[in-house]
Amino acid sequence: QKEVEQNSGPLSVPEGAIASLNCTYSDRVSQSFFWYRQYSGKSPELIMSIYSNGDKEDGRFTAQLNKASQYVSLLIRDSQPSDSATYLCAVRSSGDKLTFGTGTRLAVRP
Amino acid sequence: GAVVSQHPSWVICKSGTSVKIECRSLDFQATTMFWYRQFPKQSLMLMATSNEGSKATYEQGVEKDKFLINHASLTLSTLTVTSAHPEDSSFYICSARGGAITDTQYFGPGTRLTVL
């Protein structure tokens, strides 16, 4: 069974700090990796996608992928209270479906 | 770009009635649409995958006769919850894949269903 694992948290960081969110996956043939943010009571919104090993930066967000170790991470620089949400890691192995992790709850303290 | 809408955003209905939820991709053609359900403090649960013009593929344990999915066009999919019961109360979210980055799923805002 394809699995995506995330620490449920909460991960608490002070405002301005770097938040580091991690995700591991079990299916070695996974090809596409996504980070979504979900505020309480809302639907997920896409933050970033990553397909190749290494880092991908978009503003304050950096996604990191290491296929050999089967992990993907998301760094949030200069964390803001508005970043407080649940962050979902999603992996596409083959076919249409995404496999989601259970999410990591991030709390940014003012 | 890549905007997905859902209607209604919330609905309250009586037990035994049917409820239809619409999902539209507003600025791209969605080759595939997905329907998820999320209970409080739980992760997303995929219910079914639908492609335009063909029958939906349901996940194990999801009753296809209870949750009717119609994907009539490249921009519209509907989910009908038939004979709704209180245990069907949940947050239903659709997503659509297509557009410039065909690998990515974009989510609608969700529909909160409460069955009395």
Side-chain angles (χ1 to χ4, degrees):
Chain A
Q1 183 171 343
K2 302 170 187 174
E3 292 183 347
V4 177
E5 302 280 347
Q6 292 183 259
N7 188 317
S8 62
L11 172 65
S12 181
V13 300
E15 184 174 354
I18 296 175
S20 178
L21 305 162
N22 299 312
C23 170
T24 59
Y25 58 94
S26 63
D27 192 342
R28 281 196 170 275
V29 301
S30 298
Q31 302 170 8
S32 310
F33 307 86
F34 305 86
W35 282 100
Y36 288 87
R37 176 174 63 194
Q38 186 174 24
Y39 291 110
S40 181
K42 303 292 185 182
S43 69
E45 58 179 314
L46 179 70
I47 298 175
M48 294 186 70
S49 59
I50 187 167
Y51 303 92
S52 305
N53 281 327
D55 295 0
K56 179 181 178 182
E57 186 175 319
D58 184 359
R60 296 187 295 114
F61 299 97
T62 299
Q64 299 174 317
L65 175 60
N66 184 321
K67 290 186 179 181
S69 300
Q70 294 177 237
Y71 85 78
V72 57
S73 63
L74 180 70
L75 300 178
I76 306 175
R77 289 182 298 282
D78 188 24
S79 295
Q80 301 297 309
S82 59
D83 294 326
S84 298
T86 296
Y87 289 79
L88 301 172
C89 172
V91 175
R92 186 176 76 83
S93 297
S94 60
D96 295 328
K97 297 188 290 187
L98 292 180
T99 301
F100 283 87
T102 53
T104 298
R105 191 157 62 89
L106 173 66
V108 181
R109 309 186 301 271
Chain B
V3 178
V4 178
S5 70
Q6 262 183 262
H7 178 79
S9 56
W10 59 271
V11 58
I12 301 172
C13 69
K14 293 181 178 180
S15 186
T17 60
S18 295
V19 174
K20 179 185 283 188
I21 302 170
E22 289 188 351
C23 176
R24 293 180 185 273
S25 56
L26 297 184
D27 52 0
F28 68 100
Q29 292 187 325
T31 53
T32 308
M33 287 184 168
F34 305 84
W35 287 95
Y36 294 85
R37 182 167 54 180
Q38 188 175 37
F39 293 106
K41 299 192 184 302
Q42 295 188 21
S43 190
L44 295 168
M45 187 194 82
L46 179 65
M47 299 175 67
T49 302
S50 73
N51 293 288
E52 183 262 341
S54 58
K55 291 184 179 179
T57 302
Y58 290 81
E59 295 299 297
Q60 191 172 8
V62 178
E63 301 174 58
K64 63 180 180 181
D65 294 331
K66 180 171 182 62
F67 299 99
L68 303 178
I69 292 172
N70 185 297
H71 194 157
S73 74
L74 284 171
T75 60
L76 173 64
S77 176
T78 60
L79 167 68
T80 301
V81 183
T82 64
S83 186
H85 291 284
E87 57 265 32
D88 298 324
S89 299
S90 188
F91 191 39
Y92 291 85
I93 313 171
C94 73
S95 71
R97 195 183 76 186
I101 306 176
T102 58
D103 188 57
T104 301
Q105 287 187 31
Y106 297 93
F107 285 86
T111 297
R112 193 162 301 281
L113 171 63
T114 301
V115 184
L116 302 177

